[in-house]
Amino acid sequence: MNSQHPQMRAAIYSRVSSAQQATEEKVSLDEQFRDMESYCTQKGYTIVARFQDVGSGASKRRPRFLDMLNQIQDGRFDVVVAWKSDRLARGMYPAAALMEALEGRSVGIECVKDTIDLKTFGILAAVAKIELDNIRERVRMGHRGRARKGKAEGAVKYGYDRDAEGRPVPHPLEAGVVRRVFADYVQGMGPGAIADRLNTEGLLTRKGRPWTRTAVQHILSAPIYIGKGFYDRRRFLKRDNGQKETVKVVWKPREEWVPVSFPELVTTETWEGAQAIRRRNAR
């Protein structure tokens, strides 16, 4: 063991973006901790604190990250060891929060997989955020391309499943429930009564919950059941000021929607009859 820094107290910090990554072999939290523990052993550091988060590196709103910043200010350790610099921050706000916590304190920052220069750390974190946004945009473009080929993206609506190529197909059980909902409705049964009948028969929604009047109304109002499906109708605008994240939903112009063909579960005649009843009831 290197005894050059026998009194150096180290805090080690690891982060993954999602729960799935937490178990992936190359980026798992356990793998990061093993690498950092080995690094500290070679340096002769004594590990006095361990912090880990599951969340975006573009936000400083990570509980353990904030704990670490507070303990830096309290003088709890002499060096922070991270697996990589982007584990600490991938955006301006977390980078600025870290720099503020370090200001006026003799606490070092070291990384196992790369080097970190505090003079340029904030700039690199901002660049990393831009690249993260670019990656997300490329993923969205890929999803739109798949949708244009008739392959459903995301969770398919109740009544449908996917085939081996990702194209929507009728679900063996749910499609029948959808047809019954429309048939009962055009024959004069209200949404609440339809929900009660489904629950009496022991049928549940896809989430395993009892049917409600609102759930039935969602079925009756969805044009997807006559084959008119669309992808990418909305844009989700996320804003993170470092303290709070807000999401604003904006509907895109209809000409930007990507049409996806779905198998018809009810006839156009039945659909139009149901919509006429809904309009009449609304009045």
Side-chain angles (χ1 to χ4, degrees):
M1 178 183 296
N2 186 342
S3 60
Q4 185 178 358
H5 303 286
Q7 301 301 317
M8 290 288 282
R9 301 164 299 164
I12 58 179
Y13 180 82
S14 64
R15 179 190 64 81
V16 289
S17 299
S18 65
Q20 179 182 352
Q21 280 190 343
T23 58
E24 291 178 356
E25 182 177 352
K26 293 184 179 180
V27 295
S28 72
L29 295 171
D30 288 342
E31 184 69 18
Q32 293 180 39
F33 273 131
R34 279 194 292 270
D35 287 348
M36 290 185 292
E37 287 167 352
S38 176
Y39 179 91
C40 290
T41 297
Q42 293 175 12
K43 290 279 190 174
Y45 298 162
T46 300
I47 299 174
V48 297
R50 299 166 184 266
F51 303 93
Q52 69 177 46
D53 280 309
V54 177
S56 171
S59 173
K60 77 174 187 181
R61 291 179 299 102
R62 291 169 265 151
R64 299 298 287 154
F65 179 75
L66 294 175
D67 287 347
M68 183 179 70
L69 298 188
N70 289 332
Q71 292 191 36
I72 287 176
Q73 295 173 324
D74 291 340
R76 300 286 184 85
F77 29 79
D78 307 301
V79 61
V80 172
V81 176
W83 191 61
K84 288 181 66 176
S85 56
D86 66 2
R87 300 300 88 189
L88 291 167
R90 295 193 73 169
M92 293 182 292
Y93 290 112
L98 178 60
M99 298 296 289
E100 182 179 355
L102 294 172
E103 187 175 1
R105 295 171 178 84
S106 57
V107 178
I109 303 289
E110 299 179 15
C111 300
V112 177
K113 295 296 184 180
D114 58 12
T115 58
I116 185 168
D117 183 349
L118 294 181
K119 294 180 180 178
T120 59
F121 179 59
I123 298 174
L124 294 177
V127 171
K129 174 62 167 58
I130 294 172
E131 177 57 23
L132 187 62
D133 291 341
N134 289 337
I135 291 172
R136 289 170 177 164
E137 182 58 31
R138 289 194 291 270
V139 170
R140 282 193 289 267
M141 290 177 62
H143 288 175
R144 288 176 63 89
R146 284 175 53 83
R148 289 192 179 94
K149 294 178 181 179
K151 298 179 180 181
E153 290 294 326
V156 290
K157 197 168 181 64
Y158 184 90
Y160 295 100
D161 202 347
R162 288 192 183 90
D163 63 15
E165 296 181 352
R167 292 183 172 82
V169 294
H171 187 281
L173 174 64
E174 296 176 357
V177 174
V178 170
R179 295 186 183 104
R180 282 186 52 192
V181 167
F182 276 93
D184 289 345
Y185 188 68
V186 297
Q187 290 174 11
M189 187 178 292
I194 294 173
D196 290 341
R197 176 179 289 186
L198 294 175
N199 292 330
T200 300
E201 296 178 9
L203 295 171
L204 300 174
T205 67
R206 182 175 291 174
K207 294 182 178 180
R209 299 172 183 169
W211 285 91
T212 63
R213 176 188 178 90
T214 301
V216 171
Q217 289 174 330
H218 285 166
I219 296 287
L220 294 169
S221 64
I224 196 172
Y225 296 121
I226 53 171
K228 296 181 179 179
F230 294 93
Y231 174 73
D232 204 19
R233 297 181 299 169
R234 297 172 294 178
R235 180 181 294 109
F236 299 91
L237 303 178
K238 293 185 178 182
R239 295 289 183 268
D240 190 336
N241 62 6
Q243 301 293 336
K244 180 181 180 181
E245 182 181 78
T246 59
V247 180
K248 182 180 180 181
V249 180
V250 179
W251 285 88
K252 295 183 177 181
R254 192 178 181 89
E255 59 269 18
E256 294 184 15
W257 298 1
V258 180
V260 182
S261 178
F262 276 72
E264 294 183 12
L265 298 188
V266 298
T267 65
T268 302
E269 181 182 4
T270 299
W271 162 264
E272 290 178 348
Q275 303 319 301
I277 295 171
R278 293 181 65 240
R279 288 192 295 270
R280 187 164 62 247
N281 290 343
R283 289 196 297 271

